[in-house]
Amino acid sequence: MATLFKNANLVDVLNETVISNASVLVENGIIKEIGTDLAAPADANVIDLGGKTMLPGLFNCHVHMCSDAGTGVREKLSDASITVRALKNLKTLINSGVTYIRDAGAPNYIDVDLHNAQLKGDILAPEMQTACRCICMTGGHGHAEGREADGEADCRKAARENLKAGANWIKVMATGGVMTKGVEPGSPQLTEAELRAAIEEAHKCGAKTFTH
């Protein structure tokens, strides 16, 4: 099925220009052609955008789909309630023009379940990569929803658990943060040796890591 979007002001981010009266031809969900004088295929659905602005989808590289901004007080929500919140957040991202996200940590592998649902087409959501449970020291930043780990062996095991569950990235908490009550934001937390253990496990299977 083909769709031709016409009469748009198309933002060309590479050349830093706006193309007036532009058309975009999409076939089976893939952009096939862009121009100012495109002919619609015979069976195409033609949508006149009336001069509205089109731009490439946005990437958000630090999202917590399961979370809302809060006070740092630990929430007591069921997985079902957290999933409903995540679906709401994913809808907001899509409606804001965000088409790809990297989730930076979620409880109980809910992010992996939602990623699988997105891949199957069961939910409308940005394409995504996931990190599962953040790896933090006991009582450290993000401990309410993260995977508390102490020592090199435990951090290595925590990384393996996340990778087994389907994480694309490993998220480690090197320092404290403002969103965890009672934690000093600038304090060192996981040691260099603990960080290296988790990072080594990710790199062994081609995954990447990032830190708070």
Side-chain angles (χ1 to χ4, degrees):
M1 180 63 183
T3 301
L4 181 71
F5 298 91
K6 69 176 187 178
N7 191 18
N9 289 311
L10 180 65
V11 178
D12 182 343
V13 294
L14 295 179
N15 295 308
E16 300 182 355
T17 60
V18 176
I19 304 172
S20 300
N21 195 28
S23 297
V24 178
L25 177 62
V26 178
E27 293 182 1
N28 298 319
I30 303 296
I31 296 175
K32 302 296 289 188
E33 193 174 359
I34 295 172
T36 55
D37 189 23
L38 299 185
D43 60 345
N45 178 30
V46 179
I47 298 176
D48 190 330
L49 294 178
K52 293 182 178 178
T53 300
M54 295 183 72
L55 70 162
L58 303 174
F59 283 26
N60 190 328
C61 293
H62 192 117
V63 169
H64 291 281
M65 70 175 87
C66 292
S67 302
D68 281 343
T71 62
V73 176
R74 184 169 185 172
E75 295 181 306
K76 295 182 179 179
L77 298 177
S78 67
D79 284 356
S81 294
I82 294 171
T83 301
V84 170
R85 171 191 285 173
L87 290 169
K88 178 182 176 181
N89 289 338
L90 291 170
K91 182 179 179 180
T92 297
L93 287 162
I94 280 284
N95 289 340
S96 301
V98 176
T99 58
Y100 206 107
I101 63 172
R102 180 181 68 173
D103 194 86
N108 302 330
Y109 312 119
I110 293 172
D111 54 343
V112 173
D113 288 337
L114 290 172
H115 188 193
N116 289 334
Q118 178 266 319
L119 290 172
K120 294 176 182 177
D122 292 339
I123 62 172
L124 180 62
E127 295 185 55
M128 66 183 79
Q129 295 186 359
T130 60
C132 295
R133 301 171 69 189
C134 301
I135 300 173
C136 62
M137 73 176 196
T138 295
H141 181 46
H143 68 84
E145 297 179 346
R147 165 56 159 92
E148 292 177 305
D150 299 300
E152 294 176 53
D154 202 18
C155 287
R156 194 177 298 278
K157 183 177 180 180
R160 289 173 176 174
E161 289 172 355
N162 281 343
L163 293 165
K164 178 183 177 181
N168 307 115
W169 291 75
I170 294 298
K171 170 77 176 290
V172 290
M173 298 298 208
T175 69
V178 297
M179 295 304 295
T180 302
K181 187 177 180 179
V183 170
E184 171 59 38
S187 64
Q189 297 204 337
L190 291 178
T191 66
E192 181 177 342
E194 289 171 325
L195 293 169
R196 285 185 179 278
I199 292 167
E200 285 173 2
E201 289 305 311
H203 288 184
K204 279 163 58 176
C205 64
K208 298 296 185 181
T209 63
F210 61 123
T211 183
H212 166 80

